[in-house]
Amino acid sequence: MSGFLPIVDILAGAATDRARAEWLSAVPHGVVYRDGPDIAAILNVAGFEAGHKYLCALTAQVSARRTDDGRFPQTVLMATEMARLLMWEAVKTAERSSPNE
C-alpha cells in the first residue's frame, strides 16, 4: 500500500513513460489539482521530465483565472497543449531509440 489514492496508485505503478503519459492525458483535472505534489514526486522519481512539465502546465491551467465568459485564456490553453505535445514527442523519441520497451 503506497498511501496514495487508487487513481494515483495507477500512475505510481506505471512501468513506462508511455503509460505515464496516457495516465496524465486522461486523468481528471480535479485529481491534478488535489494530488499535484504526489503526482510530481512520482514523475520525478521515474525521471519523466516531459511529464512533469505537462503536469505543471495542467496545474497552471486548473489554477488560472478564466475570462469573463468562463473560458480559459488562449495563452493558458496554448501552453498546456504545447506541453502535452512535447510530452508525447518525448515518449515517441524514447521508444524509437529503445524499441525493446
Side-chain angles (χ1 to χ4, degrees):
M1 183 136 175
S2 69
F4 298 129
L5 292 175
I7 194 166
V8 180
D9 269 333
I10 294 168
L11 175 64
T16 65
D17 285 347
R18 173 172 286 281
R20 287 182 273 276
E22 289 171 351
W23 186 92
L24 283 167
S25 295
V27 70
H29 287 177
V31 174
V32 168
Y33 183 76
R34 181 191 63 211
D35 298 315
D38 290 335
I39 296 167
I42 291 166
L43 296 173
N44 286 332
V45 167
F48 190 30
E49 182 180 352
H52 186 261
K53 288 180 180 179
Y54 180 54
L55 172 66
C56 290
L58 282 175
T59 301
Q61 179 179 328
V62 169
S63 301
R65 184 181 189 283
R66 291 180 285 153
T67 61
D68 291 341
D69 63 357
R71 293 179 293 158
F72 288 109
Q74 195 63 31
T75 53
V76 171
L77 294 175
M78 287 172 46
T80 304
E81 181 63 8
M82 180 57 72
R84 186 190 67 77
L85 290 170
L86 290 171
M87 175 184 68
W88 277 104
E89 187 56 37
V91 168
K92 292 173 187 174
T93 298
E95 288 176 345
R96 283 193 295 269
S97 56
S98 300
N100 295 331
E101 289 187 20

